[in-house]
Structures are given as structure tokens and as C-alpha cells.
Amino acid sequence: MRCFSFYLTNLTNLLNFLFPFLIKIPSKCLPVQIENMVALVSRTGRHLQRYEKGYRLVVGCIPYRYKKSQEPTSVEDLEVLVISAQNGQGMLFPKGGWENDECMEEAAKRETEEEAGVIGVVQDKLGPWHYKSKRSCIMHESYMFPLLVKKELDCWPEKNIRKRRWVSINEAREVCHNWWMREALEELFRQQSRNLQAQS
């Protein structure tokens, strides 16, 4: 039993080490077994966490899609993906710590894949917002990126601890319990409205 525990611990450490390299390899180049293992590993710990001027740097995404067509005509067609909080109370957008071995966009995409199980195209940065952690006295500086979703994964690292749900902008305003995420949502809404007006 001790050998099995040792093997499992070392396998997890190896996958955590390889994860940043493996996610850069196009999935069609990986054997299905390795692709599935990579999809089920989530980074843990804060030893690589970035801090600046006393603020923990946090990044995330607002995953979105247009529900009616590939050529949306109205921002009312916009849906966003929310996920359940780890404690199960309330819904939010995927986010987490920005780490030293990745750029801001990579961190945001990684957190979104780990927590929400979606992959897509990252767009212009929103923020920053400053807030105090509810669990500790640490101050956070947070940035969000709109992410146009291209793929929803069947398996992802936090599938067993989070639920995900597509909702309208109005519903997201009601269910999202973080004030700064609601502000980021409004910024996304204004940005998409301007983009659609420019196209018409």
C-alpha cells in the first residue's frame, strides 16, 4: 500500500511539472490517454504565485458565446458561462492566481480550463479591480478577459467540485455574487455592444 501511495504522489508531481509544457502541444499530437490525464490535473499551491505591491495578482475569464448564430446581430444573444463557487455558495466566473511561469493570458486560460472546462479565444483585458479576500486579509488585484468559447470539455480538473451553467447577461447579473465580477460583466457587455454597432 505504501508503494502505491508513493507512486501516486510522484505521478501527480510529475504531471504538475509537465502540465505547462503539455498544454502547449496541440491536442491532436497527443495520444488520447495523455490528453485525458493532462485534462484532469489542476495546479495546486501558491509557491509560484505573483504578488505586486502587497496585492495577490488574480486573473480569470468571462467565457461567452452567441446562442442564436455565428453572426450575432444583438448583444441580447450573448450568453456567459458561470461556475459554482468551491464552497457551493453562489456562482462566479473562473479565476485564480497568476503564477511566475506564465503570462497573464496563459494564466487566465489555464484557470478557465481547470475550473470551467472550456477553451477559447482570449480577448482584450478588463480591469483592474481591487478587493479583500473573504477568507483572509490579503488584498487582490484582479483582471478578467473575455473568452469566446470554441470548445467545451467533457472532463476537466474541477468537474467533480464545480457545476457550470450557460446564462443570459441578466441572469449572470443576479447570480454572480462578486461585485467586481459584475462590473467586469458590464464592461464586457459594453464592449460587445460597441463591436456589434461597429459591424452594422
Side-chain angles (χ1 to χ4, degrees):
M1 190 66 172
R2 192 182 303 172
C3 277
F4 179 73
S5 175
F6 175 79
Y7 171 77
L8 197 58
T9 300
N10 284 324
L11 177 64
T12 303
N13 289 338
L14 176 65
L15 289 174
N16 280 331
F17 172 76
L18 292 176
F19 184 76
F21 306 105
L22 292 174
I23 61 171
K24 292 180 180 168
I25 300 171
S27 60
K28 57 186 159 202
C29 298
L30 289 172
V32 173
Q33 296 87 344
I34 293 177
E35 184 184 355
N36 290 340
M37 282 196 320
V38 170
L40 295 174
V41 175
S42 184
R43 283 192 177 194
T44 57
R46 293 197 175 164
H47 58 284
L48 295 175
Q49 179 63 65
R50 287 183 194 242
Y51 289 85
E52 190 172 290
K53 298 179 183 172
Y55 288 92
R56 178 178 178 235
L57 300 181
V58 171
V59 294
C61 290
I62 303 176
Y64 77 94
R65 69 183 182 189
Y66 283 95
K67 60 185 173 186
K68 289 191 179 167
S69 71
Q70 296 296 82
E71 297 295 326
T73 55
S74 166
V75 77
E76 300 305 318
D77 294 339
L78 191 70
E79 289 184 314
V80 294
L81 186 69
V82 291
I83 59 171
S84 59
Q86 267 188 319
N87 62 13
Q89 297 177 3
M91 303 297 277
L92 43 81
F93 298 114
K95 56 100 179 126
W98 175 16
E99 299 188 350
N100 290 324
D101 63 342
E102 57 195 351
C103 73
M104 190 182 278
E105 290 86 352
E106 287 172 338
K109 286 176 17 178
R110 173 183 54 76
E111 288 292 343
T112 303
E113 187 174 343
E114 287 176 2
E115 295 184 357
V118 291
I119 298 170
V121 179
V122 168
Q123 297 167 335
D124 293 339
K125 174 176 70 179
L126 309 173
W129 289 271
H130 296 96
Y131 65 95
K132 191 176 191 178
S133 169
K134 291 177 182 173
R135 288 184 279 173
S136 65
C137 295
I138 298 173
M139 291 298 295
H140 293 73
E141 180 173 292
S142 186
Y143 298 85
M144 297 297 280
F145 292 85
L147 180 110
L148 179 58
V149 173
K150 297 294 186 181
K151 183 178 181 183
E152 287 183 61
L153 303 175
D154 294 325
C155 294
W156 67 96
E158 299 189 15
K159 178 180 181 173
N160 294 329
I161 58 173
R162 295 188 191 270
K163 300 208 177 340
R164 65 182 180 188
R165 183 162 48 114
W166 286 103
V167 297
S168 68
I169 293 282
N170 285 336
E171 190 176 352
R173 288 175 177 132
E174 292 173 19
V175 300
C176 188
H177 68 274
N178 290 331
W179 66 267
W180 64 273
M181 285 189 177
R182 289 193 302 271
E183 283 190 11
L185 178 66
E186 294 306 325
E187 210 169 308
L188 169 68
F189 183 78
R190 287 190 296 272
Q191 186 184 82
Q192 293 300 310
S193 296
R194 284 193 301 270
N195 290 347
L196 287 172
Q197 286 172 359
Q199 290 170 17
S200 58

